[in-house]
Amino acid sequence: MNLTRKLAAVLAGVGIAPFIVVVSAGTASAHGYISSPPSRQAMCAQGRVTDCGPIMYEPQSVEGPKGQRNCHGGLGQFAVLNDDNRNWPTTSVGNTVSFNWTLTARHATSTWQYYIGDSKIAEFNDGGRQPGATVTHSVDLGGRTGRQKVLAVWNIADTPNAFYACVDLQVGGGGTTPTTTTKPPTTTTTPPTTTTSRPTTTTQPPAGGTWAANTAYAVGSQVTYGGASYRCIQAHTSLTGWEPPNTPALWQRL
């Protein structure tokens, strides 16, 4: 069972109505998104944009066939990401921007591409190599100013699929969000209203304990992982691969 299906099962178990994830044949066992400057799916996962639907729980899952030029990878359940009429916050930047990817699962990569409108402004060729857990690209915006929407595409080497992320920028100042965006906001994400009762969590580690797989965590639980402290923002039972840095929908770094 891949990360998306496991997360859906956990959310259903804690009282959140399950949603349907449509996965096409040949889907890669990899997931990732741009976390800084925050992409549209990162804005939803951090609760900075509300009423986003299921993308708020799985910002890493915008995967679709290669060659598309949209923000949602052609996935109907994530169509909100392609709605330019929503009030997407922007990040103030200069003409050179460092785009930081968070990969919750790594996969052999052919290229990383960046577009503004119909123009490709940058491409990075990995030649089929497996990336690290984080990837950073420095991209020149070519002298553009004002509000700009950058489409970033992560092309997988050994499947016909790619991952998509759109980032809203204010080039040259005047943005609606600060330039430092790597730390999640202190507000928590409110799950959709449901009539299903939430089961009682019976296992909760003491504050300051080390994160462990196969452990039930309640909202407010604090753990340490990799030398950093995190607070649980969504009750769940942890699984291998759900380490706090990889699941911003579940953990908030302190």
Side-chain angles (χ1 to χ4, degrees):
M1 181 181 293
N2 62 27
L3 181 61
T4 298
R5 294 184 182 277
K6 290 179 181 177
L7 187 54
V10 169
L11 294 174
V14 297
I16 298 175
F19 50 83
I20 297 174
V21 178
V22 178
V23 181
S24 62
T27 297
S29 59
H31 298 83
Y33 67 106
I34 291 180
S35 53
S36 174
S39 57
R40 291 183 176 183
Q41 53 258 61
M43 289 285 186
C44 290
Q46 294 170 10
R48 298 168 70 178
V49 176
T50 58
D51 299 325
C52 292
I55 191 61
M56 65 191 296
Y57 302 112
E58 47 176 337
Q60 72 281 1
S61 297
V62 185
E63 178 184 13
K66 294 175 182 173
Q68 300 185 69
R69 296 293 177 263
N70 58 59
C71 303
H72 68 304
L75 300 176
Q77 69 268 35
F78 301 148
V80 64
L81 299 175
N82 213 43
D83 183 2
D84 292 336
N85 293 322
R86 288 180 67 94
N87 187 27
W88 297 105
T90 61
T91 301
S92 294
V93 297
N95 205 251
T96 300
V97 183
S98 292
F99 291 95
N100 302 297
W101 289 80
T102 295
L103 309 185
T104 59
R106 299 177 293 162
H107 204 75
T109 301
S110 57
T111 59
W112 310 80
Q113 298 172 322
Y114 294 84
Y115 295 85
I116 292 180
D118 294 329
S119 300
K120 182 166 65 176
I121 60 173
E123 179 171 310
F124 302 86
N125 193 332
D126 277 14
R129 295 187 300 274
Q130 183 183 41
T134 59
V135 174
T136 300
H137 300 126
S138 180
V139 175
D140 189 325
L141 301 182
R144 294 173 174 84
T145 59
R147 186 177 183 118
Q148 303 290 337
K149 181 180 73 174
V150 176
L151 168 64
V153 183
W154 172 23
N155 290 303
I156 306 305
D158 52 5
T159 80
N161 289 346
F163 287 84
Y164 297 85
C166 281
V167 183
D168 296 281
L169 304 175
Q170 182 69 33
V171 186
T176 57
T177 59
T179 54
T180 302
T181 57
T182 55
K183 183 177 180 180
T186 56
T187 57
T188 58
T189 301
T190 303
T193 303
T194 177
T195 56
T196 305
S197 300
R198 177 175 297 184
T200 302
T201 300
T202 58
T203 303
Q204 182 177 345
T210 301
W211 180 91
N214 302 315
T215 302
Y217 290 101
V219 173
S221 298
Q222 295 186 21
V223 299
T224 58
Y225 184 87
S229 297
Y230 297 84
R231 178 186 295 113
C232 179
I233 60 175
Q234 174 63 62
H236 65 285
T237 298
S238 60
L239 298 173
T240 300
W242 290 18
E243 293 81 2
N246 298 337
T247 50
L250 301 178
W251 293 100
Q252 177 187 71
R253 182 166 179 168
L254 301 179

